[in-house]
Amino acid sequence: MKLLITDTCHLTAEERAYLEGLGLEVIEAPDEAPYDGDPAEIDAIACKFLFSYAPIERFVNLKYVQLFMAGWDHVPMDYIRSHGIEFHNARGVYSIPIAEFGIAGVLALYKKLRLFDSRQRARIWEREPILPELTGRHVLVVGAGSIGGEFAKRLRAFDCRITGLTRHVAPKEYFDDVRSLDDLDDVLPDADIVIMCLPGNEDTRHIIDGRRFAMMKPDAIFVNVARGVLADEAALVAALENGRLGGAVLDVFETEPLPEDNPLWAFENVIVLPHTSFGAQYNVRRSFEVMNRDLAGSALLKS
């Protein structure tokens, strides 16, 4: 059984030995390059972007795909489903760093760290006596999955009231309330912070549009760490220009890299990040742990 694993995982000798102990012959290859071996020999693939460089149709005996990413909008899922290929994503791998980054951004806006940074550079000693507090805020997490759950877990420490929206309503740990995504319009006007954690697809494209930005509190903070298409970017810019939004923390955009002439760069109350909130110290370790968990229950090793 041959497992093609790309260099995004950076296997240690111990990790390679573990996989070989499961009966897998491990083949390592670049992630963002065509595969120069024989695709017909490969039974399983663990990668990020390999299928953008090596068409999946060439791997005629493929039975298993482990994606080292949470989102799979760049993966040929129609082919995977139609050919009965077992598929797993990296659910949970990046949730912690994304939540940390998002909360750090909100705190940076509330505590005016950009202002204090500019004063430090100018050696100006000047206080701001009335800074906003995160404690007690109503946080709306749109998408109460793995990433949303990590936000909620951390925000509990700030005594926030946390509402989660999801397609499948059920009580969830760390959330004070879990409601249907269909209730977005009902809860949006009361939220102090709106955090987007949904996947990007046709159903969620521009789910936050001009009408919904207008429904938010004028001092609300909008956080998007999921997919740029979730927000109508022109409407977001208009809300910021008109003072209809307190600020934004943005790690994803409709066009990436964000063009130099995009007005979002210039707002003092907007934190622009280069789609980097997922990057973290322990991602590789977590990726390997997730792959091991998925392999343990896989039909691949039972065949």
Side-chain angles (χ1 to χ4, degrees):
M1 196 75 67
K2 293 188 177 182
L3 168 65
L4 171 61
I5 186 166
T6 65
D7 53 12
T8 55
C9 195
H10 308 292
L11 286 179
T12 65
E14 292 78 11
E15 290 167 345
R16 184 184 183 95
Y18 175 84
L19 292 173
E20 290 173 345
L22 296 177
L24 296 168
E25 180 181 341
V26 179
I27 301 171
E28 295 186 68
D31 189 71
E32 298 185 41
Y35 178 55
D36 60 6
D38 182 2
E41 294 182 348
I42 302 302
D43 301 286
I45 292 176
C47 68
K48 278 188 176 180
F49 296 108
L50 180 66
F51 297 126
S52 298
Y53 299 85
I56 194 171
E57 294 83 2
R58 296 180 59 208
F59 297 91
V60 294
N61 292 307
L62 188 62
K63 306 174 187 66
Y64 182 98
V65 171
Q66 178 75 58
L67 190 67
F68 291 134
M69 299 180 69
W72 57 80
D73 42 319
H74 65 291
V75 177
M77 292 304 299
D78 289 342
Y79 181 93
I80 288 172
R81 294 188 186 101
S82 65
H83 286 75
I85 298 169
E86 185 176 346
F87 175 82
H88 299 276
N89 71 331
R91 177 180 172 82
V93 170
Y94 308 107
S95 302
I96 290 172
I98 289 174
E100 288 184 352
F101 228 130
I103 293 171
V106 171
L107 285 169
L109 290 178
Y110 274 176
K111 302 308 177 183
K112 298 187 178 180
L113 296 189
R114 179 172 286 169
L115 173 64
F116 286 117
D117 178 66
S118 67
R119 289 179 182 172
Q120 178 180 340
R121 293 173 187 275
R123 304 190 181 194
I124 296 173
W125 183 277
E126 184 178 349
R127 295 187 177 94
E128 291 290 324
I130 306 176
L131 292 171
E133 297 181 13
L134 179 54
T135 298
R137 300 285 179 169
H138 180 199
V139 181
L140 176 61
V141 180
V142 186
S146 175
I147 295 173
E150 294 296 343
F151 268 104
K153 180 179 181 180
R154 284 151 182 79
L155 289 166
R156 295 290 292 182
F158 291 92
D159 293 326
C160 292
R161 177 164 59 93
I162 307 160
T163 299
L165 298 185
T166 180
R167 295 194 185 281
H168 306 290
V169 179
K172 290 180 180 287
E173 190 176 12
Y174 307 118
F175 288 90
D176 295 289
D177 189 23
V178 178
R179 299 177 61 170
S180 169
L181 193 58
D182 295 335
D183 294 334
L184 177 57
D185 286 355
D186 295 332
V187 294
L188 195 58
D190 186 55
D192 299 297
I193 301 165
V194 178
I195 302 175
M196 305 303 296
C197 299
L198 291 172
N201 52 48
E202 286 304 311
D203 292 335
T204 60
R205 179 177 176 79
H206 290 185
I207 190 170
I208 305 296
D209 54 12
R211 181 181 68 84
R212 284 180 166 146
F213 277 121
M215 296 175 66
M216 295 184 192
K217 293 180 177 181
D219 61 350
I221 303 295
F222 178 72
V223 181
N224 192 359
V225 291
R227 287 292 183 265
V229 297
L230 299 180
D232 182 334
E233 207 164 273
L236 170 58
V237 169
L240 290 162
E241 288 177 337
N242 297 331
R244 285 290 309 146
L245 198 60
V249 180
L250 308 172
D251 187 45
V252 290
F253 304 88
E254 293 198 77
T255 300
E256 296 183 5
L258 187 66
E260 291 183 8
D261 61 353
N262 191 296
L264 289 170
W265 287 107
F267 289 102
E268 287 295 321
N269 58 343
V270 174
I271 294 177
V272 171
L273 303 168
H275 203 148
T276 195
S277 65
F278 68 91
Q281 181 179 7
Y282 299 118
N283 283 348
V284 172
R285 184 191 71 188
R286 283 191 291 263
S287 294
F288 189 74
E289 291 171 351
V290 166
M291 182 171 65
N292 288 346
R293 178 198 67 200
D294 293 338
L295 281 170
S298 168
L300 180 71
L301 299 181
K302 300 171 184 175
S303 60

